[in-house]
Structure formats: structure tokens, C-alpha cells
Amino acid sequence: MKNKALLLGSVLLAATLAGCGAATVNPNYSSANPELMFIGKDAPAEKPMEKLNLGSYCLSVSEKWKVDGKTPDGQTIWTKDSFRNAIPCR
């Protein structure tokens, strides 16, 4: 019985040391569309408002970046909101 306990303790100690000694995997944060999400300290530059002529009406398009949380290693996650308004063409 004592030998089994000693063997089990040795196996657990070896597994713990192997787990602690293994190299950690660096996180990789990415998006299929980097125009919609950004990871970093400062927000990306915002584009000026855009006016699109769609024939019978025009569309005002503006984009704003907002903080949408943090990654497990403390980096800021930025996501983009897009605002669209129908406006008269002039």
C-alpha cells in the first residue's frame, strides 16, 4: 500500500513539473475582417463622414470605434460601429 501511494505521489509530482516546465502558447487575436475589430492601446483613426448618392436618395455613413472589452493579457479590444442615415441629396 505504501509503495502504491509513493508511486502515485511521484507520478503526480512528475506531471506537475512537466506542466509547469512546458512553454506557454502566446495568444493570437485576429479577425476574419480586420476592418471591424482591432486589438491595441489606441483606437484606429476614424474616417470622415461619407455621403453616398443612391439615385433617389443619399446615404450618410459614419463609423465610430468603441472599446468592447479586454483580452486575457490586458490588451484593449476595439470594435467598429457603422451609422447610416437617409438624407436628401443636395
Side-chain angles (χ1 to χ4, degrees):
M1 185 72 165
K2 189 173 182 180
N3 287 340
K4 287 182 183 180
L6 184 59
L7 178 63
L8 180 61
S10 298
V11 169
L12 289 175
L13 179 63
T16 302
L17 290 175
C20 292
T24 58
V25 177
N26 289 333
N28 180 16
Y29 306 103
S30 62
S31 170
N33 187 350
E35 287 289 316
L36 300 177
M37 184 181 85
F38 177 77
I39 306 292
K41 183 178 177 184
D42 299 321
E46 293 182 0
K47 295 180 187 175
M49 186 190 75
E50 187 178 359
K51 182 178 173 183
L52 304 172
N53 188 338
L54 301 176
S56 60
Y57 67 98
C58 287
L59 196 63
S60 166
V61 180
S62 61
E63 299 171 341
K64 303 283 183 199
W65 287 94
K66 68 175 183 176
V67 175
D68 205 10
K70 293 210 178 265
T71 62
D73 61 347
Q75 298 181 61
T76 304
I77 299 173
W78 296 91
T79 56
K80 188 188 321 184
D81 286 335
S82 180
F83 303 98
R84 302 172 193 289
N85 294 320
I87 58 173
C89 297
R90 293 187 184 140

